Amino acid sequence: MPSTAFTQPITSASPKSILTINSAAMIGRVDFAYLRDNFATTNDTKISEVEPNNNSIATIRDLIFELGAITGMICTTFMSVPHDFNRTDDESRPSPNDDPFWTEPSPQKEELSRQLGELFLHLFRISASCHLDLCTCVLKKIELNGQKYPVELCKGKAGKYTDYSEHTGITTTEGQCTINTPTKASSNDMEDTTTVEGITILIRNFADERLWHRHHCPRNIALAMMGEVGELAEIFQWKKDEGELDMKMTEKELDKVGQEVADVTIYLLRLADVCHVQLGDEARKLIEACEED
């Protein structure tokens, strides 16, 4: 049984407890590499066996359309879940994340969990088709986000990174490339940057340090994730369905793709966390179900 450290979103009263969980919390962790290497692409080729230069822009655009379709199913589900409220004015109110809908099993919760797992695996498919490593993209983007959102400047605020450009030097056109950005390193054993659960905790702590947990309610995060899917689609909207990926896109454009895929993934990991969904386990169950078929 996974530790409750992975099912209880951090609140303002519990940021330190996550660092004191004993080694039993390591049980049940799912490696990004396991998901990458065991999930089949649409032609039943293992992701790790995808050859360079064999993916057309048309194929990748099809995958983006499919991403939109899966996201649409999730959005349909979120139309009938409990409504959010922000805790900005009254921290004594119970978190909307603790509503019984999220904490208790139900057919609707089970279906939503499956949908989130399906979306997660599809992001691996898109990454592989673009010759990107999803885990690396996520860790690089977390590192960049740390520079874009300095803790001391954005605590409790929900503004855009451009609000801090005067201090960070990062604007819409400068400082955004992650080609040479180091991957975010873990600061403790709980933030194991090779596993779904470890990176989930890394993202959770990132939000908690900035007091963003008050804004991170399920429907809020779902809408934020939907916006990032749109930004990924925007990269491919005028590419047309001709040519191969490596012939049509520059290194900087592929870096942008990696960042947008990472943004969707980061919000997905955060969404699963606040919804009390074990995203790694859900993805693993889908893989095992495919292997049984």
Side-chain angles (χ1 to χ4, degrees):
M1 176 69 69
S3 165
T4 54
F6 305 138
T7 60
Q8 297 290 340
I10 282 185
T11 66
S12 57
S14 61
K16 295 181 180 179
S17 62
I18 199 68
L19 305 180
T20 59
I21 304 298
N22 61 33
S23 59
M26 302 297 287
I27 298 173
R29 290 195 168 201
V30 178
D31 286 337
F32 263 79
Y34 167 82
L35 300 177
R36 179 197 65 205
D37 294 340
N38 287 279
F39 183 61
T41 61
T42 50
N43 61 356
D44 293 328
T45 301
K46 295 290 187 180
I47 279 180
S48 58
E49 298 170 356
V50 172
E51 296 294 332
N53 305 316
N54 72 339
N55 286 312
S56 68
I57 292 293
T59 297
I60 296 170
R61 279 160 55 104
D62 285 343
L63 292 174
I64 301 299
F65 278 119
E66 189 174 351
L67 178 70
I70 299 169
T71 304
M73 290 190 297
I74 293 170
C75 290
T76 300
T77 300
F78 268 89
M79 291 172 65
S80 58
V81 304
H83 285 187
D84 293 342
F85 58 82
N86 288 333
R87 304 176 67 200
T88 306
D89 299 326
D90 185 2
E91 288 290 334
S92 65
R93 296 176 70 185
S95 169
N97 310 340
D98 293 330
D99 186 283
F101 177 87
W102 302 115
T103 59
E104 301 296 331
S106 69
Q108 188 177 11
K109 173 71 182 301
E110 183 178 344
E111 175 60 15
L112 175 60
S113 299
R114 186 199 62 78
Q115 291 171 347
L116 296 182
E118 184 178 351
L119 180 60
F120 192 29
L121 291 179
H122 193 68
L123 290 167
F124 279 95
R125 180 181 291 163
I126 292 173
S127 300
S129 297
C130 295
H131 315 307
L132 298 167
D133 181 78
L134 183 58
C135 186
T136 299
C137 291
V138 168
L139 292 174
K140 283 190 171 189
K141 193 57 190 280
I142 293 173
E143 183 69 24
L144 177 61
N145 285 345
Q147 300 170 28
K148 293 167 69 172
Y149 296 96
V151 174
E152 65 276 11
L153 296 178
C154 62
K155 273 191 175 182
K157 300 177 182 177
K160 289 184 64 66
Y161 70 92
T162 48
D163 294 345
Y164 317 112
S165 294
E166 182 179 341
H167 302 275
T168 65
I170 300 175
T171 68
T172 55
T173 58
E174 299 293 333
Q176 295 275 17
C177 182
T178 65
I179 293 174
N180 297 315
T181 300
T183 57
K184 173 67 178 176
S186 59
S187 59
N188 56 74
D189 289 343
M190 295 303 296
E191 293 180 353
D192 176 5
T193 55
T194 65
T195 66
V196 177
E197 293 78 11
I199 294 180
T200 295
I201 291 172
L202 183 66
I203 295 168
R204 186 194 297 170
N205 289 343
F206 187 99
D208 189 68
E209 288 171 352
R210 290 159 179 79
L211 302 182
W212 289 349
H213 56 272
R214 63 182 63 179
H215 306 297
H216 284 193
C217 306
R219 280 165 50 105
N220 283 0
I221 298 296
L223 286 171
M225 184 182 72
M226 183 171 63
E228 297 299 341
V229 171
E231 292 191 24
L232 176 58
E234 186 177 358
I235 297 174
F236 293 93
Q237 66 186 12
W238 307 125
K239 291 294 182 185
K240 299 183 179 179
D241 293 312
E242 301 171 349
E244 300 298 317
L245 175 73
D246 293 349
M247 296 176 61
K248 296 282 287 188
M249 302 193 76
T250 66
E251 184 180 26
K252 286 188 176 180
E253 286 179 310
L254 284 174
D255 177 67
K256 180 62 174 173
V257 173
Q259 288 195 49
E260 296 303 342
V261 171
D263 283 340
V264 178
T265 306
I266 288 168
Y267 273 125
L268 174 60
L269 289 165
R270 186 64 178 142
L271 178 62
D273 193 25
V274 301
C275 292
H276 300 265
V277 171
Q278 300 290 330
L279 189 61
D281 282 343
E282 291 298 326
R284 179 164 53 189
K285 285 190 290 187
L286 288 170
I287 290 173
E288 291 172 351
C290 288
E291 290 175 346
E292 291 174 0
D293 293 341

